[in-house]
Amino acid sequence: MKLRLALVFVAATIASAMTPALAQSGPDESMQRQACMGDAVRLCGAYIPNRSRIRDCMAAQVEQLSPSCRAVFDASMQTERAPSARR
């Protein structure tokens, strides 16, 4: 039970770490969680629950992300940059 609660907390933290970048459009939160939870725990577990540090850690290790997580991460980064490019 404690492990399940911890996993739910980790999933929520990881998903919310990337959610601001996806506010415009892009992969939804459940897609992010499914694609990136394993990578976030494996590569950036030391930073849980700090959302911004998880995001920064994953950005620094983008080459090591799984293909599915990298696709979601790249999409979120493009969405984050898009509003400033339009101005």
Side-chain angles (χ1 to χ4, degrees), residues 14-77:
I14 292 166
S16 63
M18 294 179 66
T19 299
L22 298 171
Q24 299 292 322
S25 65
D28 67 18
E29 190 173 320
S30 64
M31 185 184 292
Q32 290 174 294
R33 189 179 313 121
Q34 184 178 8
C36 294
M37 184 190 298
D39 289 340
V41 171
R42 177 175 55 90
L43 298 170
C44 306
Y47 302 115
I48 295 169
N50 188 316
R51 297 176 200 159
S52 61
R53 291 191 71 191
I54 294 168
R55 185 181 56 246
D56 293 345
C57 173
M58 291 180 77
Q61 299 187 67
V62 73
E63 297 295 326
Q64 296 179 32
L65 298 177
S66 65
S68 59
C69 181
R70 186 166 182 179
V72 169
F73 196 80
D74 288 346
S76 69
M77 296 308 286

Side-chain angles (χ1 to χ4, degrees), residues 24 80-87:
Q24 299 292 322
E80 187 175 90
R81 288 185 218 130
S84 62
R86 291 181 194 155
R87 292 181 186 173

